[in-house]
Amino acid sequence: MAPDKGRTAERRSDLSGIKKWWRTLGGDGFAVLPPPTRSRYTQSDGHEDAAEMFAARSLPTSTSFAYWHWQSHSAFDRAGGLNRELYLHWGGDHATVAAGLGDGPDGYRILDGGPQGAFRLDKVTATDADGLPDPEDTAGVRQFLDRLGTPRGRTARAVEHAPLTAAEESWLHDRLRDPVELSGAAGCVTALEARQALTAGETARLLPAWREEYAGRLTEWPAWAALLDALLRHGHEEVWDTVASLGPRASDALGAAPSPRALDILRAWSLTGQPNAIRAWLAVHGAVHGTDPVRTAGVLAGELTAHDAPETSLNRLFGALSATVTDDWRAARPTADHTAARAFAALTAVRLATEENLPRPLRVAAAHTAYDQVAHVREQAAQHPGGTEAEVLAAVERYEAARDGLLAGTGPELTGYEGRLGDIYHRYRTLTPADVQWLRDRVADPSTGVQGIAFCLELLHAHGEAGEAELAALLPRWKKELAKQYRTTYTEWRHPLVTLTCLAQDLGHPAAEAMLAWWAKPKPLWKTPVRLLTHLGAPDEAKADELWDFVASGAHDTGHLMTWVLLRARLDGTHPLLVAERLIGQPGIRAYVLHRVLIGVADPAQPLWHYDIDPRSHGWLRRAQEVADDPRLTDAARAIGLKTAREHYVFRYPDQVRPALTDGQLAAAHAWAQARADRTAAD
């Protein structure tokens, strides 16, 4: 009998059983947070909830804790069944948390992800002598397929999976016999094709079932990519109709199966700016025409430019070129470790920035990529895996001679992952005239999206460089484009309409009245938590009082205390650090919020609006060090700066700091901390 059969609905609820066990945990320096609601969506939210729980229960701040958040909670279905591993996050001492969680509730097990990972809770299941689950045991089948899907290794060209035993392969093929049931077949299809073991007959049966059951939504079937790979591998003629239906999402599969027909399709997609197609286009073009990656990239860049493809397409083409060159290097050195490959990738960017066979746009993209890596290349020249010390240093010198000319009037890509923009935010603590012009041009460009406007306008406004021109460029767009939800709690910049409203008020522009009237309306609801941030524009005592009332109420802070500190500093004509330090120890002010604000306003010309202190950021480390060393501040305020700096990843997990630290930067940070060791001991 399968494990779940014959049980009552109540007993079948994994969630209820896990909650019952969860309520028994705690003690000996360990606490658990209640099960989550949607307000605890991320790990940062979990740590904030823990701080609030410690304060409410008078627990020491050193208490270790465990929790799961709403994203982890999706492991349960609507009936409370556990459909996958439940990730349990934690804070404090790893050994204390591991002991506090124990082995898990009866019928479940806990896997320890280590000091830098999460704990994982799952059901205990049974297998036969061949290690195979009962096909009716849903959890057992899931765990079996997860095991088969875990790679045993990765090379530059492919992910490697352990070979199947005869019993395992037979079990998987048995699940794909007629009649085909797609939802249950997905994991089997993926496991087989990961080893190129899906047969032509199976693909022929699966294709019509997939196209019929998932018509108009082909990618919703979890195994669609594996089946597409198998169709191309077996040369199934009907695959091209499926490729047309999938569009650019089929790019990776076409890149792995080069042909003239695949090349034509990828070219058409790439010329329209489809990012998924560009790397595959580079690979297939090189395979079909037999050209090296650099020469191929030059040809493709010419086509992109001639067809007025989006500017971001050239950046993605450079990324594809760099990855291809690095993969080629790794393929020739199968024993090379990740560190060596990363070092070679950095050298590749340095070299490609001055590669005469590449058009200027690709050399500019290379120069941007190499900007934060050239110091590593120079530092490691003697042991660099990509050439002799003299060759590497010569490449560095050529790059440094050409860099300023290549980068003049350029900037980062504004449409990609916003975390990359946060990683380079410290570069803009001071703005050159070329920076100002580039930022203004981006704000004025109608094609710049909300994220780009938020980034550029914040920098201009914070540095006092935004003016009437920026207002004129954005006013026609604010109601239709900017008055939309845009999550900014994990960025260094505010919602662009907040910044624009502040600018309009500062300039006394007539549009400010219309904007403030819009903010005052009850809907849309997303604006409610950030409305008061607009008070930083044209500040007065009434705005300061309203903000303070909100701060003192204990409501959820999404930049309100920082706004009040900056506003108060403007009204008083003083440095915001001096305003913030007066709040230390004041009742009703949450310490962890105040500490973030104290560090974030260290430079009022570029405050850091991130929801929390980012322990992997160069900018946050530098501000913390400045607060620790600021002679204007009290000992209490400087102690906060010192503690924040000591908790930065530069001292705990230096490999996670972004951009990556050079050995010199790491040594300087440790020397700074050592020079203040007496203060550390006293604190």
Side-chain angles (χ1 to χ4, degrees):
M1 178 182 292
D4 284 344
K5 290 183 178 179
R7 299 170 65 183
T8 66
E10 182 178 354
R11 290 185 60 199
R12 268 202 312 271
S13 173
D14 298 303
L15 178 58
S16 63
I18 290 169
K19 282 183 175 180
K20 183 177 180 180
W21 161 76
W22 191 254
R23 288 193 292 268
T24 68
L25 303 179
D28 296 327
F30 174 65
V32 295
L33 274 62
T37 64
R38 285 180 173 83
S39 64
R40 188 195 303 158
Y41 193 74
T42 66
Q43 292 185 55
S44 293
D45 295 334
H47 284 254
E48 181 178 342
D49 286 353
E52 292 180 352
M53 183 181 73
F54 294 165
R57 298 184 184 178
S58 299
L59 295 174
T61 57
S62 60
T63 301
S64 298
F65 60 95
Y67 65 94
W68 74 88
H69 53 52
W70 196 252
Q71 293 180 81
S72 300
H73 195 78
S74 62
F76 297 103
D77 60 25
R78 291 186 177 182
L82 187 64
N83 288 335
R84 57 179 171 80
E85 292 179 329
L86 175 66
Y87 278 73
L88 302 175
H89 301 284
W90 58 279
D93 178 67
H94 176 260
T96 300
V97 176
L101 291 174
D103 296 328
D106 290 343
Y108 301 82
R109 56 180 170 79
I110 288 183
L111 299 177
D112 187 344
Q116 296 188 43
F119 293 85
R120 308 191 310 276
L121 185 149
D122 204 352
K123 295 180 181 180
V124 173
T125 60
T127 58
D128 64 15
D130 291 318
L132 303 173
D134 180 340
E136 297 298 317
D137 180 0
T138 304
V141 170
R142 169 176 56 79
Q143 292 171 3
F144 171 64
L145 294 175
D146 285 347
R147 176 172 64 80
L148 296 185
T150 301
R152 70 174 181 181
R154 298 176 185 272
T155 68
R157 296 299 182 199
V159 175
E160 292 183 345
H161 290 82
L164 299 170
T165 66
E168 288 170 343
E169 186 165 352
S170 177
W171 190 96
L172 292 169
H173 285 303
D174 284 345
R175 307 281 80 74
L176 300 182
R177 300 193 189 283
D178 282 332
V180 176
E181 197 279 302
L182 287 183
S183 60
C188 300
V189 169
T190 302
L192 285 167
E193 188 54 26
R195 298 153 176 89
Q196 294 194 336
L198 203 62
T199 68
E202 287 167 340
T203 62
R205 290 197 304 273
L206 288 164
L207 176 58
W210 172 40
R211 297 194 66 168
E212 179 180 351
E213 185 171 338
Y214 287 86
R217 51 189 184 94
L218 292 176
T219 57
E220 291 185 18
W221 186 45
W224 72 270
L227 179 55
L228 183 62
D229 287 339
L231 290 165
L232 288 164
R233 181 168 58 83
H234 287 298
H236 199 296
E237 184 56 32
E238 292 184 36
V239 71
W240 299 109
D241 290 335
T242 304
V243 166
S245 298
L246 288 165
R249 288 170 292 189
S251 296
D252 288 346
L254 294 180
S259 69
R261 190 167 184 176
L263 179 60
D264 289 341
I265 293 171
L266 290 166
R267 177 181 182 275
W269 290 340
S270 297
L271 293 180
T272 62
Q274 295 293 335
N276 294 343
I278 290 176
R279 181 168 183 177
W281 187 29
L282 179 72
V284 173
H285 191 285
V288 170
H289 294 285
T291 51
D292 66 85
V294 171
R295 189 173 299 278
T296 302
V299 172
L300 304 193
E303 289 206 53
L304 289 170
T305 302
H307 287 82
D308 295 323
E311 181 180 347
T312 54
S313 296
L314 290 165
N315 293 330
R316 293 187 175 102
L317 177 58
F318 168 74
L321 170 61
S322 177
T324 300
V325 172
T326 304
D327 285 352
D328 287 346
W329 180 86
R330 292 194 69 178
R333 297 164 178 81
T335 60
D337 61 19
H338 179 70
T339 300
R342 186 169 58 190
F344 180 78
L347 176 58
T348 296
V350 169
R351 285 172 167 166
L352 292 178
T354 57
E355 172 56 63
E356 294 181 356
N357 290 321
L358 289 179
R360 181 180 177 84
L362 290 188
R363 286 185 281 125
V364 169
H368 274 293
T369 301
Y371 189 94
D372 287 309
Q373 302 187 42
V374 64
H376 294 270
V377 174
R378 178 183 288 280
E379 193 173 70
Q380 300 167 7
Q383 64 266 20
H384 212 289
T388 67
E389 181 176 6
E391 290 172 335
V392 171
L393 290 176
V396 169
E397 289 172 3
R398 289 194 300 272
Y399 169 79
E400 291 178 335
R403 179 180 59 194
D404 290 347
L406 287 169
L407 297 182
T410 69
E413 183 176 339
L414 297 172
T415 59
Y417 170 52
E418 65 184 15
R420 291 194 181 94
L421 291 176
D423 289 344
I424 64 169
Y425 205 66
H426 62 281
R427 292 188 200 169
Y428 292 94
R429 189 164 177 182
T430 58
L431 300 181
T432 66
D435 290 332
V436 172
Q437 189 58 55
W438 183 83
L439 291 166
R440 285 176 173 162
D441 288 345
R442 299 289 75 71
V443 171
D445 187 343
S447 68
T448 303
V450 172
Q451 178 174 288
I453 293 171
F455 177 84
C456 297
L457 185 62
E458 179 72 51
L459 286 172
L460 288 170
H461 184 250
H463 287 285
E465 298 289 351
E468 295 280 353
E470 284 64 51
L471 268 175
L474 296 176
L475 284 178
R477 303 178 62 183
W478 80 266
K479 288 186 178 180
K480 289 186 177 180
E481 298 178 58
L482 302 188
K484 301 287 176 63
Q485 185 171 11
Y486 168 65
R487 187 175 175 89
T488 58
T489 53
Y490 298 96
T491 65
E492 308 293 6
W493 48 90
R494 296 168 292 177
H495 191 289
L497 192 52
V498 170
T499 313
L500 188 65
T501 305
C502 290
L503 175 61
Q505 293 178 90
D506 286 339
L507 295 178
H509 195 280
E513 184 176 351
M515 291 182 181
L516 292 173
W518 179 85
W519 282 105
K521 294 177 181 178
K523 292 185 178 181
L525 295 177
W526 69 262
K527 66 184 179 181
T528 302
V530 296
R531 178 186 68 84
L532 292 178
L533 274 58
T534 63
H535 282 8
L536 191 55
D540 57 35
E541 293 294 342
K543 292 178 178 179
D545 290 344
E546 185 181 4
L547 254 176
W548 180 256
D549 288 343
F550 181 92
V551 169
S553 73
H556 188 63
D557 188 293
T558 55
H560 298 89
L561 182 58
M562 174 172 280
T563 303
W564 183 86
V565 167
L566 292 169
L567 185 157
R568 190 73 261 168
R570 288 183 66 179
L571 290 176
D572 297 345
T574 188
H575 198 289
L577 278 176
L578 305 179
V579 176
E581 75 167 356
R582 292 198 294 268
L583 300 177
I584 297 174
Q586 183 164 325
I589 300 298
R590 287 166 289 193
Y592 67 94
V593 177
L594 177 59
H595 294 181
R596 165 174 54 84
V597 170
L598 184 72
I599 308 303
V601 300
D603 182 358
Q606 194 199 47
L608 302 179
W609 289 93
H610 197 285
Y611 178 73
D612 200 359
I613 292 171
D614 185 351
R616 47 181 285 288
S617 156
H618 286 243
W620 281 97
L621 173 63
R622 183 177 172 187
R623 309 301 173 87
Q625 291 174 319
E626 290 171 1
V627 170
D629 293 341
D630 194 325
R632 298 170 297 178
L633 300 180
T634 62
D635 289 345
R638 296 173 67 197
I640 292 170
L642 183 60
K643 181 176 184 293
T644 302
R646 289 179 59 235
E647 292 175 348
H648 193 274
Y649 280 11
V650 67
F651 302 113
R652 302 163 64 195
Y653 313 114
D655 58 320
Q656 294 187 33
V657 178
R658 292 292 180 268
L661 297 160
T662 65
D663 291 343
Q665 289 172 323
L666 186 59
H670 281 278
W672 180 89
Q674 184 59 39
R676 292 151 184 80
D678 56 336
R679 284 175 53 193
T680 301
D683 294 336

